[in-house]
């Protein structure tokens, strides 16, 4: 299905959260022909698995039910890797693969079957209901890196997950479960053709559907897996946040394409009825909290950062997934981006060359930006290359890419903070007058840390991936390598990679956290950025001529 832009014709297939394609995997026929939905969604050709390496013996699971809260530990600096110009693309990719093997072996040794490994204290922790989030979320990264023995081991574990057995609480968060578990399962199916993954996906999604049984179709935040009932959030009015209610649609539609059961697709799409009807002062932008019973906005706080980010991300990805035929989604994309440009874009004082996003409180901009929002440059570029009416935003996307990258290069570690701030054109900041280090960073780079921690987030790397794949400009690979080099230097711990407490310290403490998205997103995007030794997009893994990614590195 061709989507024609003024730049090129792009065949883009948007799958579910974490789906990837590895060239060289021969085709395997499915057991039966799946029914094809009759609207603009379609069923792609299947991918076969090749003969894997022998199984690696499974380690003995270690389970600590009473693990302590996150603690900070003194860190050590690792020796920096060679600079970008000193290595070939293949050598860079091997360093990233080695990082994956190191962190996976640490998880496998100390925390197998738990959701995460604590890479400093070498202990397991369950944060996502105890089903092994790192295994399910990271399984496709194993595959595309050619770690087929580890992939098989993960497959064997997944086959025995019992969704009815939850760690600590029967409450299951719909959003996190969808992007980490549902996406990982669909990914494994796309790569291997193994129907077991579809069966496990259906079992899990069917248990999530009660959350959508609301007057508006907007899901409650949780499902109680013991009672089978949806449970509201603890926000005012039991509100659902924008990102959570708008970040299941790609996964649910893909599951419908695979199974022929279009219940999942229609459940996901029903939420948009509210947003077509919801009128705001900034058309196409919505407050970050919505009452799931009435569809009314709760407050007037608008952001493209945390609690809202992937709602906007999934609009363009769904339009792409429809083959350019979903006119309602196209209009939502155009409207949201036009309003974002009008109401949220800011240029820091003294730095007109970079663009950043502000949050909006009522009618007032707040000059700060989440690292989470650094998905936006890549998302805007995808929109510019897909929708002819938005080709003019490509320069803005580039300026924002520059702004997000400055958040990395400005700190002493070369790592971006969780939230960074800036001085607006009137000279105002969220912290008052700037002095010392903040004043220097603001004048030199246009940004300074506000929340100084880093938890191995991938969003800037994701945007760099899009910029490199669309432009083939090698400077984006150099940017990605510098980021990886900083992560290697400051985050590589005892049995994996740890977040750090202060990105602008010479010797930052480790936070002893390694979330599953480090496997599923951060390392995957970095690996794919160095996948090719030529400019032929047809020879790349996960070519954007065939695939697009969603919020947890969905392909």
């Amino acid at each position: 299905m061709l989507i024609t832009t003024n730049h090129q014709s792009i065949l883009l297939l948007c799958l579910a959260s974490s789906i990837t394609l590895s060239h060289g995997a021969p085709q395997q026929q499915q057991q039966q022909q799946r029914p094809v939905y009759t609207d603009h969604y379609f069923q792609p050709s299947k991918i076969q698995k090749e003969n894997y390496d022998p199984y690696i013996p499974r380690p003995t699971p270690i389970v600590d039910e009473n693990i302590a809260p996150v603690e900070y530990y003194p860190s050590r600096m690792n020796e920096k890797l060679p600079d970008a110009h000193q290595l070939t693309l293949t050598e860079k990719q091997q360093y990233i693969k080695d990082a994956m093997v190191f962190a996976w072996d640490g998880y496998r040794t100390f925390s197998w079957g738990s959701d995460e490994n604590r890479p400093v204290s070498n202990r397991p922790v369950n944060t996502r209901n105890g089903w092994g989030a790192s295994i399910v979320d990271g399984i496709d990264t194993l595959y595309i890196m050619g770690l087929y023995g580890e992939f098989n081991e993960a497959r064997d574990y997944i086959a025995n997950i019992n969704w009815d057995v939850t760690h600590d609480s029967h409450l299951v968060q719909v959003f996190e479960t969808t992007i980490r578990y549902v996406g990982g399962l669909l990914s494994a199916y796309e790569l291997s053709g193994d129907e077991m993954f579809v069966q496990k996906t259906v079992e899990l999604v069917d248990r999530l559907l009660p959350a959508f049984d609301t007057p508006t179709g907007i899901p409650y935040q949780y499902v109680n897996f013991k009672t089978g009932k949806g449970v509201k959030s603890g926000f005012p009015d039991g509100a659902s946040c924008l990102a959570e209610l708008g970040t299941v649609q790609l996964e649910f539609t893909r599951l419908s394409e695979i199974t022929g059961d279009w219940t999942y697709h229609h459940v996901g799409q029903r939420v948009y009825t509210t947003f077509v009807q919801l009128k705001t002062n900034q058309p196409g932008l919505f407050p970050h909290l919505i009452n799931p019973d009435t569809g009314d906005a709760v407050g007037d706080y608008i952001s493209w950062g945390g609690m809202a980010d992937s709602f906007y991300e999934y609009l363009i990805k769904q339009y792409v997934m429809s083959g350019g035929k979903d006119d309602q989604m196209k209009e939502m994309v155009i409207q949201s981006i036009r309003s974002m440009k009008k109401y949220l874009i800011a240029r820091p004082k003294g730095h007109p060359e970079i663009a950043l996003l502000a949050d909006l409180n009522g009618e007032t901009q707040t000059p700060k930006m989440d690292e989470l929002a650094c998905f936006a440059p890549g998302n805007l570029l995808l929109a510019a290359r897909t929708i002819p009416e938005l080709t003019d935003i490509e320069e803005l996307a580039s300026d924002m890419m520059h702004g997000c990258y400055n958040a990395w290069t400005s700190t002493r570690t070369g790592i971006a903070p969780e939230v960074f701030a800036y001085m607006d054109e009137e000279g105002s900041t969220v912290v008052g007058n700037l002095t010392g280090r903040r004043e220097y960073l603001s004048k030199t780079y246009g940004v300074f840390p506000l929340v100084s921690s880093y938890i191995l987030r991938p969003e800037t790397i994701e945007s760099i991936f899009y910029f490199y794949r669309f432009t083939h400009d090698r400077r984006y690979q150099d940017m990605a390598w510098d980021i990886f080099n900083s992560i290697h230097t400051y985050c590589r711990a005892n049995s994996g990679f740890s977040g750090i407490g202060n990105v602008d310290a010479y010797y930052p403490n480790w936070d002893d956290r390694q979330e599953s998205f480090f496997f599923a997103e951060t390392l995957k995007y970095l690996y794919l950025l160095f996948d090719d030794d030529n400019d032929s997009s047809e020879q790349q893994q996960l070519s954007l001529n065939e695939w697009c990614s969603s919020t947890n590195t969905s392909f």
Side-chain angles (χ1 to χ4, degrees):
M1 204 169 294
L2 291 176
I3 301 174
T4 304
T5 73
N6 66 324
H7 297 278
Q8 57 186 336
S9 294
I10 307 174
L11 177 62
L12 285 167
L13 174 61
C14 205
L15 299 182
S17 178
S18 297
I19 295 174
T20 57
L21 171 65
S22 177
H23 290 287
Q27 298 224 346
Q28 170 179 320
Q29 298 299 321
Q30 301 303 308
Q31 296 179 354
Q32 59 183 4
Q33 182 67 32
R34 297 286 183 188
V36 179
Y37 192 44
T38 56
D39 71 4
H40 44 257
Y41 293 89
F42 68 99
Q43 180 178 358
S45 59
K46 301 300 176 193
I47 305 158
Q48 299 178 352
K49 68 176 178 179
E50 59 187 55
N51 294 325
Y52 297 132
D53 296 339
Y55 280 92
I56 299 173
R58 181 180 299 103
T60 302
I62 302 172
V63 180
D64 181 358
E65 299 294 334
N66 299 305
I67 194 160
V70 169
E71 300 176 35
Y72 284 94
Y73 294 82
S75 70
R76 63 175 178 274
M77 287 179 58
N78 298 288
E79 183 178 353
K80 289 186 73 70
L81 300 173
D83 291 337
H85 70 276
Q86 297 176 293
L87 298 170
T88 66
L89 295 180
T90 300
E91 288 171 333
K92 293 170 188 173
Q93 195 176 60
Q94 185 61 49
Y95 273 116
I96 295 163
K97 182 176 179 178
D98 290 346
M100 176 70 181
V101 171
F102 168 71
W104 191 264
D105 283 351
Y107 168 77
R108 183 176 173 271
T109 301
F110 297 106
S111 303
W112 183 257
S114 295
D115 289 333
E116 299 166 13
N117 177 47
R118 289 201 161 162
V120 181
S121 57
N122 303 332
R123 297 179 296 170
V125 61
N126 286 310
T127 58
R128 308 294 174 194
N129 296 105
W131 296 317
S134 290
I135 296 173
V136 182
D137 208 8
I139 188 172
D140 61 332
T141 304
L142 296 173
Y143 189 95
I144 66 171
M145 289 186 178
L147 299 170
Y148 300 125
E150 289 87 342
F151 179 90
N152 259 337
E153 182 179 37
R155 182 261 176 223
D156 199 30
Y157 171 85
I158 290 168
N160 293 295
I161 294 176
N162 183 347
W163 305 119
D164 291 325
V165 177
T166 57
H167 172 81
D168 193 39
S169 171
H170 296 295
L171 290 182
V172 175
Q173 192 173 4
V174 175
F175 167 75
E176 295 289 355
T177 302
T178 298
I179 66 172
R180 297 178 195 247
Y181 288 106
V182 175
L185 292 167
L186 289 172
S187 172
Y189 169 70
E190 292 295 335
L191 295 171
S192 68
D194 189 333
E195 295 280 349
M196 180 276 295
F197 292 112
V198 178
Q199 176 187 343
K200 301 301 289 186
T201 308
V202 170
E203 290 175 3
L204 180 56
V205 174
D206 283 350
R207 287 166 169 78
L208 297 177
L209 291 182
F212 295 82
D213 187 16
T214 67
T216 62
I218 292 173
Y220 293 153
Q221 190 172 49
Y222 302 99
V223 176
N224 186 314
F225 270 25
K226 185 175 183 178
T227 65
K229 302 293 185 181
V231 179
K232 294 181 181 180
S233 76
F235 294 121
D237 298 335
S240 298
C241 75
L242 200 60
E244 294 187 341
L245 63 90
T247 313
V248 302
Q249 287 74 17
L250 294 177
E251 291 84 354
F252 280 24
T253 293
R254 181 60 189 141
L255 182 59
S256 288
E257 290 177 334
I258 292 169
T259 63
D261 182 350
W262 289 88
T263 300
Y264 310 114
H265 168 74
H266 294 308
V267 164
Q269 294 299 309
R270 187 184 169 209
V271 305
Y272 292 114
T273 302
T274 292
F275 295 96
V276 171
Q277 299 171 349
L278 184 61
K279 304 301 181 184
T280 67
N281 293 331
Q282 301 83 19
L285 300 179
F286 303 101
H288 72 310
L289 292 176
I290 304 292
N291 186 315
D293 292 328
T294 66
D296 296 331
V298 178
D300 57 3
Y301 183 83
I302 291 174
S303 174
W304 270 44
M307 298 178 67
D309 49 349
S310 48
F311 174 88
Y312 299 105
E313 177 187 359
Y314 269 41
L315 297 181
I316 180 60
K317 304 293 177 60
Q318 288 181 84
Y319 176 69
V320 167
M321 191 174 186
S322 76
K325 294 182 178 180
D326 191 331
D327 290 336
Q328 177 175 291
M329 202 58 61
K330 178 182 177 181
E331 288 307 308
M332 290 185 72
V333 172
I334 293 173
Q335 197 172 57
S336 67
I337 290 178
R338 291 297 182 209
S339 285
M340 177 269 287
K341 183 178 180 180
K342 181 177 181 180
Y343 296 105
L344 302 183
I345 290 297
R347 304 274 180 174
K349 186 175 182 178
H351 289 274
E353 76 282 2
I354 66 174
L356 299 171
L357 286 168
D359 293 339
L360 201 62
N361 281 293
E363 303 293 329
T364 304
Q365 282 193 355
T366 301
K368 69 179 183 66
M369 183 174 178
D370 296 354
E371 203 285 331
L372 275 167
C374 284
F375 82 94
N379 211 58
L380 294 176
L381 183 61
L382 175 62
R385 294 296 182 102
T386 305
I387 299 176
E389 293 91 331
L390 292 175
T391 55
D392 61 297
I393 66 167
E394 187 162 335
E395 183 177 353
L396 173 62
S398 180
D399 291 347
M400 195 183 298
M401 183 75 266
H402 184 184
C404 284
Y405 187 60
N406 275 14
W408 291 76
T409 59
S410 61
T411 68
R412 290 184 170 108
T413 61
I415 294 174
E418 182 75 2
V419 183
F420 49 93
Y422 52 92
M423 181 179 290
D424 65 22
E425 292 177 325
E426 284 72 43
S428 298
T429 75
V430 294
V431 294
N433 294 330
L434 300 183
T435 58
R437 177 70 175 166
R438 281 177 168 173
E439 183 179 22
Y440 166 77
L441 293 176
S442 179
K443 288 181 178 180
T444 307
Y445 298 95
V447 297
F448 58 89
L450 184 61
V451 178
S452 296
S453 57
Y454 173 66
I455 61 170
L456 306 175
R457 289 205 185 276
E459 285 75 21
T460 301
I461 304 167
E462 174 187 1
S463 284
I464 292 172
F465 170 79
Y466 274 100
F467 270 82
Y468 175 68
R469 283 297 180 89
F470 275 120
T471 68
H472 298 293
D473 188 333
R474 297 293 187 187
R475 65 177 169 149
Y476 294 111
Q477 290 180 315
D478 292 344
M479 290 162 64
W481 180 253
D482 288 344
I483 287 174
F484 174 69
N485 211 339
S486 293
I487 292 172
H488 164 84
T489 301
Y490 292 97
C491 299
R492 183 170 172 133
N494 299 328
S495 59
F497 287 76
S498 171
I500 55 178
N502 185 355
V503 297
D504 202 38
Y506 288 113
Y507 301 99
N509 288 334
W510 284 325
D511 69 4
D512 202 17
R513 298 174 63 188
Q514 180 182 265
E515 291 213 38
S516 66
F517 58 67
F518 180 68
F519 295 124
E521 300 182 75
T522 306
L523 291 179
K524 184 187 299 167
Y525 277 126
L526 285 166
Y527 184 83
L528 292 171
L529 267 155
F530 303 103
D531 187 61
D532 64 305
D533 282 298
N534 57 70
D535 287 341
S536 173
S537 61
E538 299 302 325
Q539 297 181 29
Q540 296 170 334
Q541 291 194 77
L542 302 171
S543 168
L544 292 185
N545 285 353
E546 299 174 358
W547 307 89
C548 72
S549 69
S550 60
T551 196
N552 228 37
T553 320
S554 317
F555 283 99

